[in-house]
Amino acid sequence: RIRNLHEIHTMEQVRQTYTDMFKSIISLDNSDHTKSLIDKIVSILPKYHGGEFLSSIQSEMGVRPVLVNGDMHVGNVLIDVESGNLLALIDWQCTHLGVGVEDLHRIALSALTTNQRRESFPLLVEEMYNSLVENLVGADPPYSLDTMLLLSDLIFPFCGILFAATLTISAEHAMIQENDASITVEEKTRRKAVETDKLIGCLEDIVDFEIKNKKHSDIQKFRDP
């Protein structure tokens, strides 16, 4: 369903599709807080949906686009059990030209708890940047660490919205598992708690970063009307 969103032509259709998908999220947490977050996120969809968002950010900041996997979550990363080395990245149908830190957001949202992600992400961006510089073997980096950190802030809502939408699939799967007698009650409770933690943290951060990013008034995409 995520890929089918690219085939929807009107923004009203996009907003309605996302709204319908978010209804499944309510099955994980139907609190007023979560409902309020979803309402706020639906209202900013026109800014983030579609390919123009990333290209406009890259253009204004003078950052050359790179190849992005676009679907970087734990299920698409194959690790050798014995050595711990990366074996392969799979599932490349969402590949596009974009900002490299996109994939870092996606894997962090997928693999880490909310607190872990919030505490470690600036360090992960710095490590990513240092790896970039190291692989340039002496050549000048295309941009600074500060620029990468700023890009990370600017594109989080974009990445977070897509991640939250994909959680609707997990939510539907969790509802099916509720009737699965082979899964213990304790395990069902644990899985729901993990999904809910990632979901609420993601929704909160989408809204928080949208507010935070408005201070970058020199960037047209975030300039208040």
Side-chain angles (χ1 to χ4, degrees):
R1 289 186 301 173
I2 296 295
R3 289 195 293 275
N4 289 341
L5 289 178
H6 297 292
E7 301 172 4
I8 300 174
H9 298 294
T10 70
M11 183 50 62
E12 187 58 37
Q13 287 176 308
V14 171
R15 294 179 65 175
Q16 187 58 53
T17 299
Y18 268 103
T19 300
D20 291 343
M21 292 175 74
F22 283 147
K23 288 179 181 178
S24 296
I25 292 178
I26 300 301
S27 67
L28 286 174
D29 181 65
N30 64 353
S31 66
D32 290 341
H33 176 58
T34 297
K35 292 176 182 177
S36 174
L37 291 171
I38 289 174
D39 287 342
K40 292 175 182 177
I41 291 168
V42 169
S43 72
I44 63 174
L45 281 175
K47 177 184 291 187
Y48 294 101
H49 179 77
E52 292 185 2
F53 169 76
L54 290 179
S55 60
S56 64
I57 292 298
Q58 293 162 355
S59 176
E60 286 203 57
M61 297 190 65
V63 175
R64 188 175 68 180
V66 298
L67 185 67
V68 175
N69 175 277
D71 197 18
M72 189 70 71
H73 61 79
V74 291
N76 287 340
V77 181
L78 303 186
I79 302 293
D80 183 88
V81 176
E82 294 183 357
S83 67
N85 294 330
L86 175 67
L87 290 179
L89 303 177
I90 63 174
D91 210 355
W92 290 83
Q93 77 273 13
C94 296
T95 302
H96 60 277
L97 292 176
V99 180
V101 77
E102 286 179 57
D103 279 341
L104 190 60
H105 274 306
R106 291 188 176 93
I107 193 65
L109 283 162
S110 171
L112 302 177
T113 67
T114 295
N115 286 339
Q116 288 172 338
R117 177 175 56 79
R118 288 172 176 171
E119 291 173 359
S120 66
F121 201 80
L123 295 176
L124 292 175
V125 174
E126 184 174 355
E127 184 172 340
M128 183 178 183
Y129 183 80
N130 290 338
S131 178
L132 165 67
V133 173
E134 181 180 347
N135 281 282
L136 289 173
V137 290
D140 292 334
Y143 43 79
S144 66
L145 173 59
D146 287 342
T147 297
M148 182 175 275
L149 288 167
L150 175 56
L151 281 168
S152 172
D153 288 354
L154 295 176
I155 68 172
F156 179 85
F158 172 83
C159 299
I161 286 170
L162 290 178
F163 176 76
T166 61
L167 278 184
T168 63
I169 300 173
S170 298
E172 291 168 359
H173 184 58
M175 292 174 68
I176 294 173
Q177 290 181 337
E178 283 294 320
N179 298 318
D180 189 340
S182 67
I183 304 176
T184 66
V185 174
E186 291 78 10
E187 178 62 15
K188 291 176 183 178
T189 301
R190 187 194 70 80
R191 293 181 184 183
K192 183 175 181 179
V194 170
E195 292 295 329
T196 303
D197 167 75
K198 293 180 181 180
L199 166 66
I200 303 305
C202 178
L203 298 181
E204 290 173 343
D205 289 351
I206 290 169
V207 174
D208 288 347
F209 274 99
E210 163 65 12
I211 295 171
K212 177 182 178 181
N213 289 337
K214 284 184 177 180
K215 73 179 184 180
H216 301 297
S217 58
D218 54 329
I219 298 177
Q220 180 66 40
K221 197 71 179 181
F222 291 90
R223 198 169 299 161
D224 287 326

